[in-house]
Amino acid sequence: MAIDLQKGISLKIEGELGKFQTLPIESLIKIAESLQELVMSIAKYDLPTNESIDLNNFKLELTDFQKGSAIPSFVLTQRVQPVISDYQNQRKEVTKKLNTIFAISDKGNYNDLRDLYPEHFKRNEIVEKLYGFTSSFKNSPVSIYEKGNISQESEKYRPKKFKASTKKSLIVDVKEVKEEKLEEKAFARIKVTKKGGKTRNSIEEVISTAKHSLSYSPEIININRKQYILNFPLRCLFAKEDDYYVINNEQLDIIGTGETQDEAEQNFNEEFDYLYNRLNSLKDNQLNKRLLRIKGVLNSFVKEVF
């Protein structure tokens, strides 16, 4: 006859722990808590997920303590919480699986838990709880049987030592998968409102940099008391890289940088002025194909110089 949690379960603890036919309070608490956690884990993982389950119906209560070694007994609570599903049948299913687990511990074949719980997230918890339960007796021999039924014919389990190395081999290291943090730079169109000496900025639109970029498009370039009047806006890419602002015109191969936007613009204008004067000071046959092309583009932009 298998153990029935609804009739009660007795643990006959012998050896050093039960030699005075008593149990230290801390040992009794540890044994009771570890047994409770094992039963709760079975209820959590072995009952159908489509049933209404209240884990409070699987709480254990201390029902007796006998001498003849130390024999605490536990039974499923009578303080039942009503559920739509058949809680009595649920208790039978949990008791059935507990007997199977106790049978594995009786033979010491703890590797059988791998077949009983192939899903690692279930096996991890059951292994932890069973290890905690078998370890709660320390090295004292224990017999587990149905309360009030210790006859030769009744089912008894004598858990064998659950080695830490065996436990470790059964546990699957579940690493937390951290969601990759994706960062994307974007531009924003900001509405600036000034009222009563106060300035309020509000974002009207966020523009992704994946398909768009900011631009610097001067129609007049001022440098060294000189003005370049352009035929049409000189469209350049404008960006901030680390702590620097960058203005870049790929056609002319001109880049201006600075710690501020004004510095970057000043630097760009200086490069524009230098390149214009340098290329126009040389004859076409003195330039390679690349510089000759740049010279042509540059002169097509400049309408007048004052």
Side-chain angles (χ1 to χ4, degrees), residues 4 9 13 22 24 41 43 54 74 93-94 98 104 107 118 128 154 196 205 208 243 247 263 276 281 284 286 297:
D4 187 346
I9 177 175
I13 305 166
T22 61
S41 293
D54 191 327
F74 305 91
E93 290 300 314
V94 170
L98 182 64
I104 289 174
K107 296 177 182 178
E128 289 283 4
S154 64
E205 183 181 6
S208 171
D243 295 327
I247 299 173
E263 285 184 9
Y276 179 83
S281 69
D284 289 352
Q286 293 178 288
V297 173

Side-chain angles (χ1 to χ4, degrees), residues 9-218:
I9 177 175
S10 293
L11 312 176
K12 184 177 181 180
I13 305 166
E14 302 174 279
E16 184 65 26
L17 196 56
K19 67 179 181 180
F20 297 116
Q21 300 185 346
T22 61
L23 280 177
I25 291 296
E26 63 269 18
S27 296
L28 177 61
I29 292 173
K30 188 173 183 180
I31 291 167
E33 286 183 341
S34 60
L35 177 60
Q36 178 69 87
E37 289 175 359
L38 178 59
V39 171
M40 285 292 190
S41 293
I42 294 172
K44 184 166 65 172
Y45 289 124
D46 286 281
L47 293 177
T49 56
N50 61 347
E51 290 188 8
S52 174
I53 301 168
D54 191 327
L55 291 179
N56 288 310
N57 292 336
F58 298 92
K59 286 184 176 180
L60 299 173
E61 297 183 3
L62 181 66
T63 184
D64 197 3
F65 192 98
Q66 305 171 40
K67 293 186 178 180
S69 298
I71 310 177
S73 299
F74 305 91
V75 68
L76 285 171
T77 182
Q78 296 183 47
R79 299 169 176 82
V80 174
Q81 303 298 316
V83 290
I84 298 174
S85 301
D86 185 353
Y87 79 91
Q88 294 279 12
N89 187 62
Q90 291 176 346
R91 285 181 165 186
K92 288 179 182 178
E93 290 300 314
V94 170
T95 296
K96 182 179 178 181
K97 183 55 69 75
L98 182 64
N99 275 273
T100 302
I101 291 174
F102 280 163
I104 289 174
S105 68
D106 180 74
K107 296 177 182 178
N109 295 335
Y110 292 105
N111 283 316
D112 289 350
L113 293 170
R114 201 184 304 277
D115 297 325
L116 190 62
Y117 290 99
E119 304 97 330
H120 63 261
F121 68 95
K122 293 183 180 180
R123 184 170 72 247
N124 282 2
E125 184 167 329
I126 296 295
V127 167
E128 289 283 4
K129 303 309 181 186
L130 180 58
Y131 180 83
F133 176 65
T134 58
S135 300
S136 66
F137 310 111
K138 299 182 179 178
N139 293 317
S140 296
V142 178
S143 297
I144 305 174
Y145 56 92
E146 188 176 285
K147 182 180 179 297
N149 191 359
I150 196 171
S151 64
Q152 294 294 328
E153 294 78 21
S154 64
E155 190 79 61
K156 291 189 289 291
Y157 303 108
R158 299 178 185 274
K160 303 299 186 295
K161 184 175 180 60
F162 197 162
K163 295 181 180 180
S165 58
T166 304
K167 171 200 163 188
K168 186 177 180 181
S169 69
L170 290 168
I171 295 290
V172 176
D173 185 18
V174 181
K175 295 183 179 179
E176 181 183 357
V177 179
K178 294 185 177 180
E179 186 176 351
E180 185 179 354
K181 183 179 180 181
L182 298 177
E183 292 185 354
E184 179 183 352
K185 293 183 178 180
F187 306 124
R189 186 169 67 191
I190 299 175
K191 179 180 180 181
V192 181
T193 305
K194 295 183 179 182
K195 184 177 181 181
K198 294 183 179 180
T199 301
R200 180 174 174 268
N201 298 329
S202 58
I203 297 176
E204 288 192 332
E205 183 181 6
V206 176
I207 305 169
S208 171
T209 58
K211 295 182 178 179
H212 304 85
S213 62
L214 290 178
S215 66
Y216 169 73
S217 306

